[in-house]
Amino acid sequence: MAAESETKKVVSQFELTDHDVNAATLEFLRQMDEGLRKDGTSMSQIPTYVTAVPDGSEKGVYLAVDLGGTNFRVCSVQLNGDSTFNLTYNKVAIPKELMVAKTARELFSFLAMQIEVFLKEHHKDYYAAQIKKRRSGTTRSSEYLRLGFTFSFPVNQLGINKGKLIRWTKGFDIPDAVGKDVCALLQTEIDKLGLPVKVAALVNDTVGTLMARSYTSVGKAKSILGGIFGTGTNGAYIEKLSNIKKPTVGEYDKSTGDMVVNTEWGSFDNQLNVLPTTKWDKILDDASVNPGIQMFEKRVSGMFLGEIVRLATLDLIKNEKVTLFVDANSSFNDLQSITTISRESGLFKQWGLDSSVLSVAAADDTPELSSLRLELETSLQIDSASLVDAQIFKAVAAAVGRRAARLSAVAIGAIVLQSGKLNDPDTDVVDIGVDGSLVEHYPFFRAMIYEALKAIDGIGPKGAERIRIGIAKDGSGVGAALIALVAEKMEKDNSNVEDVEARVDDLVWNTNNHNTFIVAGVVGVIAIAALWWARQRS
Ligand code: GLC
């Protein structure tokens, strides 16, 4: 059948053989090493100055904000000092026009306003008391709430609360902000509103994920990598200080011999030495706000997969041999009705196909593909798609999803090899924490990653069995691990919590505890903010 062979032609272009996976892994290791030696490489390999995980004995109430994708989240966390904590949050969608605003001020003033809204809603008594004190000129900055800023874009980190934006990713494009310290940008807008808040820590979401996961890793296994496979993709891993050859500027504690490095692997192989490239990858890249950048991310992450499927599907629609989503008459359609696509369908608009449709396609293994056909109708306004139509769409979507998973295995596999943990007789399990819509919602994404890991030289089926990839979003798990950390820290060091305690006592906690839960990245940043604060005071 022509439709079948034409579909196969498309599908085969997304194939990544075991040989390709191995070649890409070697190149990934090479580019990692290059990034550790000098600046300006495609993988930035950013030193984070985080050399240890927080120990959980920190006490206090901290704010955290999270900017990194479609939403902005403001949270407050009460660390109880016994590793338990309560978290409450507000989430707002970032208006599209602010993602491409003319000035950084427009975006950051919006963020500061959300912090104000949050304080008024959840900490109204504290907020009112602070505003009063401020008016009477009796505010002390030690009473300010400390805020951890999860900023999930490439930043040249200059210290725990200072970092200059290298470039925007994931559809953001505000040239005015590039090269500026994002903490200072936020602090300025916070100060303009007179909020009693100090931006204390700057963290990438991958670092937060690694922190949170390392709390929850069971037994001896220490997490070596925090990876995000969501709107964007990136990873932060523990690297030996001796391997970081490029100059580092910030102050840090060298005693652990390690440092967390933010790879910014979304830009792995921007030069396309090994990355597979179809004509649809090219079209997507050319039409993006950052052509030639984030080339790995553009093949792996949720923001882009739907668009690749859309472009490939459009070509099949145009292909007369296939007659996709067009029935000449209803007798060709098992639904006995004629297929129609609305002109308004997302299929005809850039970014019009949400990657979540890929998850539905992958999950539907019914003979009639009924949920996928329903999804095509509701999400893409394709009425009465035939079974063959749905099969074609499913095949294309699966090929794009599978390529993404196998490429994800390249990044994970390379970092496992770099860690040397598989050759370490003391390591049974190599633990990896992941988060993001793909690993959470795309069916079999992790299974496909494992399949490719088995094919990597130096890992193999035995090595792959020792790699544990787990979701770093397990709130109660994180809480339990924090208890252990706090208890240990409390034995060693019970100092310098007085100021923070005073602030906690002052603070009226207007939170509804039923609304409490934990988010991995947020926990990470809160913990880092707390750690930083404790060190500052000592
Ligand atoms: C993009 C950002 C990176 C972030 C990732 C996941 O790749 O550049 O900093 O970690 O998205 O959110």
Side-chain angles (χ1 to χ4, degrees):
M1 248 174 67
E4 202 179 319
S5 66
E6 292 301 304
T7 307
K8 273 196 183 140
K9 274 190 209 159
V10 170
V11 164
S12 67
Q13 294 184 58
F14 292 104
E15 202 180 311
L16 199 70
T17 64
D18 288 353
H19 177 268
D20 299 334
V21 168
N22 273 288
T25 306
L26 287 179
E27 180 64 8
F28 199 99
L29 282 163
R30 192 192 69 73
Q31 292 189 24
M32 276 176 81
D33 184 58
E34 190 178 49
L36 291 173
R37 287 174 191 278
K38 54 183 184 200
D39 288 325
T41 54
S42 56
M43 260 168 80
S44 301
Q45 296 281 70
I46 303 167
T48 62
Y49 303 97
V50 175
T51 58
V53 293
D55 61 17
S57 67
E58 297 80 9
K59 246 184 170 184
V61 176
Y62 295 89
L63 287 182
V65 295
D66 181 358
L67 179 74
T70 37
N71 295 309
F72 178 64
R73 203 163 36 191
V74 187
C75 329
S76 61
V77 177
Q78 179 163 1
L79 295 173
N80 297 323
D82 60 358
S83 280
T84 64
F85 48 87
N86 310 75
L87 184 150
T88 212
Y89 77 103
N90 281 1
K91 186 163 95 173
V92 283
I94 301 164
K96 285 257 182 314
E97 62 276 13
L98 289 185
M99 294 180 172
V100 291
K102 285 223 165 50
T103 62
R105 198 194 53 74
E106 290 166 61
L107 174 66
F108 284 84
S109 68
F110 170 81
L111 305 185
M113 269 168 352
Q114 301 313 313
I115 297 173
E116 183 173 43
V117 167
F118 181 86
L119 287 177
K120 282 184 178 164
E121 190 178 330
H122 296 284
H123 298 288
K124 56 178 180 295
D125 300 342
Y126 173 77
Y127 176 77
Q130 287 297 321
I131 296 294
K132 208 165 150 198
K133 279 189 184 176
R134 203 180 174 106
R135 287 200 185 118
S136 61
T138 55
T139 328
R140 285 179 300 148
S141 66
S142 60
E143 291 174 14
Y144 283 16
L145 278 169
R146 261 57 193 169
L147 177 143
F149 187 10
T150 300
F151 183 76
S152 304
F153 299 94
V155 161
N156 189 6
Q157 191 121 14
L158 302 170
I160 197 76
N161 68 343
K162 195 173 164 74
K164 293 187 177 166
L165 177 63
I166 300 173
R167 62 176 178 277
W168 289 106
T169 53
K170 297 177 283 194
F172 281 69
D173 186 23
I174 311 167
D176 171 55
V178 175
K180 294 198 177 135
D181 174 9
V182 293
C183 287
L185 287 173
L186 183 60
Q187 188 71 60
T188 303
E189 298 306 322
I190 287 174
D191 291 347
K192 276 188 200 160
L193 295 178
L195 306 179
V197 172
K198 176 172 165 48
V199 182
L202 176 64
V203 182
N204 188 269
D205 52 355
T206 54
V207 181
T209 301
L210 174 59
M211 296 290 122
R213 177 69 186 179
S214 59
Y215 299 148
T216 58
S217 250
V218 186
K220 275 203 300 177
K222 200 176 160 204
S223 299
I224 60 155
L225 165 66
I228 301 282
F229 299 91
T231 307
T233 184
N234 186 19
Y237 74 105
I238 299 177
E239 182 56 277
K240 290 181 197 64
L241 277 175
S242 56
N243 286 342
I244 307 176
K245 300 280 192 320
K246 62 186 172 188
T248 45
V249 287
E251 293 275 308
Y252 58 93
D253 168 17
K254 300 189 175 61
S255 63
T256 61
D258 293 328
M259 187 185 280
V260 175
V261 170
N262 168 13
T263 64
E264 286 296 330
W265 74 37
S267 261
F268 162 59
D269 202 26
N270 282 344
Q271 55 274 63
L272 301 182
N273 289 342
V274 289
L275 282 180
T277 302
T278 64
K279 77 183 255 210
W280 307 292
D281 293 304
K282 285 206 195 88
I283 299 172
L284 179 150
D285 184 43
D286 288 345
S288 70
V289 290
N290 53 357
I293 312 281
Q294 301 292 102
M295 299 306 253
F296 184 73
E297 184 162 85
K298 284 173 181 160
R299 286 151 178 77
V300 170
S301 77
M303 173 157 180
F304 304 99
L305 298 188
E307 182 65 2
I308 304 174
V309 172
R310 185 185 77 84
L311 292 166
T313 307
L314 270 189
D315 263 7
L316 283 168
I317 290 177
K318 284 185 209 143
N319 185 336
E320 281 167 8
K321 292 185 209 151
V322 182
T323 61
L324 176 62
F325 301 135
V326 246
D327 290 330
N329 73 55
S330 59
S331 62
F332 292 153
N333 192 328
D334 58 321
L335 296 177
Q336 301 295 304
S337 55
I338 293 180
T339 313
T340 52
I341 314 184
S342 157
R343 281 204 199 150
E344 295 304 309
S345 167
L347 260 187
F348 304 121
K349 293 183 193 134
Q350 191 192 17
W351 311 121
L353 198 164
D354 195 284
S355 295
S356 58
V357 182
L358 276 66
S359 297
V360 176
D364 189 353
D365 52 10
T366 60
E368 287 84 27
L369 296 180
S370 36
S371 34
L372 172 57
R373 288 156 90 180
L374 184 64
E375 180 70 19
L376 291 173
E377 192 174 321
T378 48
S379 297
L380 293 172
Q381 301 174 47
I382 303 172
D383 288 340
S384 310
S386 70
L387 177 59
V388 174
D389 291 337
Q391 283 167 336
I392 293 173
F393 184 88
K394 183 175 162 81
V396 174
V400 173
R402 185 173 161 78
R403 187 184 71 165
R406 290 175 73 78
L407 284 171
S408 304
V410 166
I412 292 174
I415 286 173
V416 168
L417 291 174
Q418 171 82 358
S419 77
K421 290 286 182 201
L422 288 177
N423 301 323
D424 175 358
D426 292 335
T427 303
D428 298 334
V429 172
V430 182
D431 189 82
I432 288 163
V434 291
D435 194 8
S437 47
L438 281 173
V439 281
E440 265 196 287
H441 305 305
Y442 191 96
F444 314 115
F445 200 78
R446 266 186 287 172
M448 290 189 286
I449 291 178
Y450 274 114
E451 188 196 310
L453 284 174
K454 283 186 199 156
I456 296 178
D457 296 340
I459 297 181
K462 286 239 161 63
E465 256 175 39
R466 289 169 56 205
I467 301 172
R468 184 174 64 201
I469 304 174
I471 298 283
K473 217 172 197 157
D474 176 357
S476 51
V478 175
L482 269 168
I483 292 170
L485 284 166
V486 171
E488 197 189 341
K489 167 77 176 169
M490 279 187 144
E491 280 167 28
K492 285 192 205 145
D493 170 17
N494 210 1
S495 61
N496 302 311
V497 291
E498 295 82 3
D499 260 22
V500 180
E501 277 174 357
R503 202 170 61 238
V504 178
D505 293 342
D506 255 13
L507 196 86
V508 180
W509 183 251
N510 302 122
T511 301
N512 168 6
N513 281 346
H514 300 298
N515 198 15
T516 297
F517 81 116
I518 300 159
V519 180
V522 169
V523 173
V525 76
I526 295 289
I528 292 167
L531 186 72
W532 174 86
W533 177 241
R535 288 211 180 127
Q536 281 295 104
R537 309 295 304 163
S538 57

